[in-house]
């Protein structure tokens, strides 16, 4: 069983920045091998991928955040980050941390979510 705990959400004005963090309770081996990602769910809309960082390979981003958001991970701390710059009101959503399935785990996991609100 893996627990993901997000932090760093809050209220910010348009143009501002926030950094989200997600700490996984998994072993370092599992964490390092698995894809970690950030999803978001705006009010009244479906959950969508924001950014993903696979265990091996390149990061990927939603078109709407390219050039503004950066995903990174520290495998020594079992932590994945999402640096969000130049925030817009349309970035307002609940942001969820996600761990994908991997060679040593046959299910994915979700955090409880953290609210990000961007005021105009």
């Amino acid at each position: 069983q893996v627990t993901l705990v997000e932090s760093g959400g809050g209220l910010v004005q348009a143009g501002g920045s926030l950094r989200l963090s997600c700490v996984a309770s998994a072993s370092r081996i599992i964490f390092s091998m698995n894809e970690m990602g950030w999803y978001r769910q705006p009010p009244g809309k479906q959950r969508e991928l924001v950014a993903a960082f696979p265990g091996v390979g390149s990061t990927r981003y939603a078109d709407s955040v390219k050039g503004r958001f950066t995903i990174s991970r520290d495998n020594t701390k079992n932590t994945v980050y999402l640096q969000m710059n130049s925030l817009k009101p349309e970035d307002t959503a609940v942001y969820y941390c996600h761990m994908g399935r991997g060679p040593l785990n046959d299910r994915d996991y979700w955090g409880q979510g953290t609210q990000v609100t961007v005021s105009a």
Side-chain angles (χ1 to χ4, degrees), residues 12 14 22 33 40 54 59 63 65 69 74 77 90-91 114:
V12 65
C22 171
M33 294 177 70
R40 68 185 180 187
T59 57
D63 288 343
V65 307
F69 291 11
D74 185 341
K77 297 181 179 179
E90 52 263 42
D91 294 318
T114 185

Side-chain angles (χ1 to χ4, degrees), residues 3-104:
T3 302
L4 304 175
V5 179
E6 303 105 332
S7 61
L11 173 64
V12 65
Q13 289 187 334
S17 298
L18 283 174
R19 189 176 83 152
L20 305 183
S21 300
C22 171
V23 180
S25 66
S27 69
R28 285 190 183 181
I29 291 176
I30 289 177
F31 182 85
S32 65
M33 294 177 70
N34 284 18
E35 177 172 287
M36 298 299 300
W38 289 96
Y39 288 71
R40 68 185 180 187
Q41 187 164 16
K45 296 184 179 181
Q46 291 187 336
R47 194 173 297 188
E48 60 184 11
L49 174 69
V50 176
F53 199 139
V56 177
S58 301
T59 57
R60 61 186 189 274
Y61 296 89
D63 288 343
S64 59
V65 307
K66 285 180 180 178
R68 300 188 298 121
F69 291 11
T70 302
I71 188 171
S72 61
R73 62 191 294 167
D74 185 341
N75 290 342
T76 68
K77 297 181 179 179
N78 279 18
T79 302
V80 61
Y81 305 95
L82 185 67
Q83 178 66 44
M84 304 185 294
N85 299 328
S86 302
L87 283 161
K88 304 175 181 180
E90 52 263 42
D91 294 318
T92 295
V94 178
Y95 284 70
Y96 296 91
C97 181
H98 178 256
M99 173 184 282
R101 298 180 182 182
L104 300 180

